[in-house]
Amino acid sequence: GNSVTQMEGPVTLSEEAFLTINCTYTATGYPSLFWYVQYPGEGLQLLLKATKADDKGSNKGFEATYRKETTSFHLEKGSVQVSDSAVYFCALSDQINFGNEKLTFGTGTRLTIIP
Amino acid sequence: DGGITQSPKYLFRKEGQNVTLSCEQNLNHDAMYWYRQDPGQGLRLIYYSQIVNDFQKGDIAEGYSVSREKKESFPLTVTSAQKNPTAFYLCASSPLPGQGAGELFFGEGSRLTVL
């Protein structure tokens, strides 16, 4: 079955540091890959996505590249801010197998940015 | 504004009682989902529905029930058969496959605590 493995947290960084959160996946078919973000007390919202190999998703200074050869979709940001403190979820959607948007999520990585 | 509304935001229940969590969307999405979130476990799918009057079990459906009588509404009932119901519950929706490329739109969640 499908699975997503992401870097365990919590991760604590100083403001303006470089961020990487690792994500690898196992899937049959041709999955789309996503990063969702959850701010304290809220639901999840889509941060970025990539639908095919070598695609790069980007939003709000975050980037992730769909690497089929390493089955990875690592999240990066060059200079983090306090407002980036949240829980980040990597996810995949394999429409060929499921025929719907039944996403498989990783366990989440809590990120805290210190001023 | 279009979006997903979950209520109540916080709910306390005594053991042995059933409770119903409300989820309403005005995005005109066909598919709706219920996820459960526990610390360190990410999101797990409880039920999903692709069309009115039809729904499917997810990975952890035992002790839960749903209905989909209207396109806009997908309430979740947590029954007394659910052994460990204290959790954060998230409702989501999406267009049908091929239209949204896997993106889910989430509500802000309902936190259920069993006393």
Side-chain angles (χ1 to χ4, degrees), chain A residues 6 32-34 36 38-47 49-51 87 89 92-93 95 98-108 110, chain B residues 9-10 31 33 35 37-38 40-43 45 48 50 57-59 88 90 94-109:
Chain A
Q6 63 180 101
S32 296
L33 301 174
F34 307 85
Y36 281 83
Q38 184 179 33
Y39 298 104
E42 298 183 9
L44 279 69
Q45 53 186 274
L46 180 68
L47 180 60
K49 67 181 181 184
T51 57
V87 181
F89 292 89
L92 69 82
S93 171
Q95 294 184 25
F98 295 108
N100 61 67
E101 315 303 354
K102 187 179 157 193
L103 298 188
T104 301
F105 285 87
T107 54
R110 181 175 299 278
Chain B
K9 192 160 185 172
Y10 299 95
Y33 311 79
Y35 284 87
Q37 185 178 15
D38 295 282
Q41 293 196 48
L43 277 69
L45 183 65
Y48 63 99
Q50 292 182 271
K57 291 182 179 180
D59 301 316
F88 190 53
L90 287 161
S94 70
L96 278 180
Q99 298 172 14
E103 180 178 355
L104 295 186
F105 295 77
F106 284 86
E108 293 195 341

Side-chain angles (χ1 to χ4, degrees), chain A residues 19-91:
Chain A
L19 168 71
T20 300
I21 300 178
N22 289 340
C23 172
T24 57
Y25 67 89
T26 302
T28 55
Y30 306 94
S32 296
L33 301 174
F34 307 85
W35 278 101
Y36 281 83
V37 59
Q38 184 179 33
Y39 298 104
E42 298 183 9
L44 279 69
Q45 53 186 274
L46 180 68
L47 180 60
L48 53 85
K49 67 181 181 184
T51 57
K52 60 183 189 297
D54 299 325
D55 268 2
K56 178 186 281 188
S58 62
N59 186 27
K60 299 181 181 180
F62 290 89
E63 291 183 341
T65 301
Y66 188 161
R67 302 282 188 205
K68 191 174 178 184
E69 63 276 13
T70 55
T71 61
S72 65
F73 193 55
H74 303 322
L75 182 69
E76 297 182 335
K77 186 174 185 183
S79 176
V80 292
Q81 306 300 314
V82 172
S83 58
D84 294 327
S85 298
V87 181
Y88 293 81
F89 292 89
C90 186

